[in-house]
Amino acid sequence: MVHWSAEEKQLIAGVWGKVNVEECGAEALARLLIVYPWTQRFFSNFGNLSSPTAITGNPKVRAHGKKVLTSFGDAIKNLDNLKVTYSKLSELHCDKLHVDPENFRLLGDILIIVLAAHFTKDFTPACQATWQKLVGVVAHALAHKYH
Amino acid sequence: MLTAEDKKLIQQIWGKLGGAEEEIGAETLWRMFHAYPPTKTYFPHFDLSQGSDQIRGHGKKVVTALGTAIKNMDNLSQALSELSNLHAYNLRVDPPCFSLQFLAQCLQVVLATRLGKEYSPEVHSAVDKFMSAVAAVLAEKYR
């Protein structure tokens, strides 16, 4: 079980409280598809992904980004019980979606950069360290049921 | 592969940071040590407290080297040849797919905190590709 200090929980809640889940989710997913174009392979039915502009404006990308980050919010509410919380999602990503868990790490790092661009100076080194830990733990939980 | 557009974006972005090499480098290293404690194992001889002269000095060195790389993007292999030897034979930093990737992530975070919205998806993509290219050159001589 991962241990979270009071300070870490504060840093997570403090940032999360100010995040616009829809905007941030859309931004993070769009950047994943732009910066690591091979990830588009999981979204072949999303329509036009032909350019950064197309991707950023794509309504399916936005909607799915919101879904993904909303789920991330569930993780934050269940920090002490992540593997169980994400058990079904993990099975889904393995058995139905066939996503290489390496992609969870990529998305986590991108989310951090989106937060950094959004919060600028307020995204302090302590903040970043806690959030890197968080995205790592979430990625790990998502990969847990892979077989 | 870095496109002409990528190179332009990188040069533009780097131009906006003019003069702040030491600060950017120091902050990048500090964030890296904080977020990825195992990276400290390469600096047992350093004073790793915040704002230490060694972190500032080394940060400046790293970012200056990246600046040189940016001026020579068409020939990274040659421009970084000495550094490539150093990392492979002397420093033996874990193959760049590991440790240098943490440096790259932290540099991107520092750039994003400084540039905010200007750190667009296109810029992000270009910088990410550039840092991968740098890491690949530094790894060339590992074995």
Side-chain angles (χ1 to χ4, degrees):
Chain A
M1 238 226 355
V2 180
H3 172 73
W4 298 94
S5 71
E7 194 201 341
E8 284 171 330
K9 289 186 179 180
Q10 231 287 303
L11 286 169
I12 291 170
V15 168
W16 191 247
K18 299 193 193 106
V19 164
N20 177 325
V21 171
E22 183 168 346
E23 283 306 317
C24 193
E27 176 86 34
L29 186 63
R31 282 181 188 243
L32 181 74
L33 299 172
I34 292 166
V35 179
Y36 306 114
W38 56 87
T39 57
Q40 292 170 27
R41 87 175 231 259
F42 301 111
F43 302 99
S44 50
N45 63 339
F46 268 32
N48 188 2
L49 298 177
S50 60
S51 70
T53 312
I55 291 171
T56 309
N58 184 313
K60 286 190 172 174
V61 170
R62 293 189 67 83
H64 195 71
K66 178 183 177 184
K67 198 182 199 183
V68 168
L69 207 63
T70 302
S71 169
F72 199 85
D74 288 339
I76 291 178
K77 285 197 205 83
N78 291 280
L79 282 180
D80 296 327
N81 199 16
L82 256 182
K83 289 201 177 82
V84 172
T85 305
Y86 267 17
S87 180
K88 288 271 174 292
L89 257 184
S90 182
E91 284 170 8
L92 177 77
H93 280 77
C94 174
D95 301 330
K96 293 264 160 31
L97 305 176
H98 311 293
V99 177
D100 182 340
E102 172 65 10
N103 292 293
F104 307 147
R105 192 190 59 75
L106 291 181
L107 183 60
D109 277 353
I110 288 204
L111 177 62
I112 301 256
I113 289 172
V114 169
L115 293 175
H118 186 78
F119 290 105
T120 61
K121 290 196 300 316
D122 291 341
F123 198 65
T124 61
C127 234
Q128 180 189 353
T130 299
W131 275 78
Q132 296 283 176
K133 179 178 168 181
L134 176 62
V135 302
V137 164
V138 168
H140 186 76
L142 259 181
H144 193 242
K145 288 298 195 131
Y146 272 61
H147 58 95
Chain B
M1 280 279 303
L2 285 170
T3 63
E5 182 62 22
D6 289 331
K7 292 177 187 177
K8 205 175 86 183
L9 284 173
I10 292 166
Q11 274 154 357
Q12 262 169 23
I13 261 344
W14 207 253
K16 293 198 170 140
L17 309 169
E21 275 93 355
E22 190 176 300
E23 268 170 60
I24 289 171
E27 188 180 341
T28 297
L29 287 179
W30 177 251
R31 282 180 184 266
M32 187 182 75
F33 294 142
H34 218 53
Y36 308 104
T39 56
K40 292 191 283 192
T41 58
Y42 294 101
F43 301 92
H45 51 299
F46 265 32
D47 166 10
L48 291 176
S49 57
Q50 189 164 23
S52 83
D53 285 340
Q54 284 175 309
I55 293 186
R56 295 189 74 79
H58 195 69
K60 182 176 181 183
K61 222 184 218 180
V62 168
V63 170
T64 302
L66 286 174
T68 301
I70 287 171
K71 287 200 195 78
N72 293 280
M73 278 190 284
D74 293 329
N75 197 359
L76 273 182
S77 214
Q78 193 171 46
L80 294 176
S81 178
E82 282 306 307
L83 270 179
S84 185
N85 288 336
L86 182 73
H87 282 76
Y89 304 129
N90 293 45
L91 304 177
R92 286 174 291 196
V93 173
D94 243 26
C97 50
F98 294 99
S99 300
L100 290 180
Q101 174 191 85
F102 298 144
L103 180 79
Q105 170 71 356
C106 291
L107 176 67
Q108 292 229 48
V109 168
V110 171
L111 294 177
T113 58
R114 280 167 180 260
L115 297 168
K117 278 207 211 25
E118 274 184 272
Y119 205 69
S120 65
E122 289 87 340
V123 170
H124 177 168
S125 177
V127 174
D128 195 278
K129 282 162 82 174
F130 170 70
M131 291 304 287
S132 293
V134 167
V137 166
L138 288 179
E140 261 167 18
K141 300 179 184 154
Y142 268 66
R143 52 178 173 165

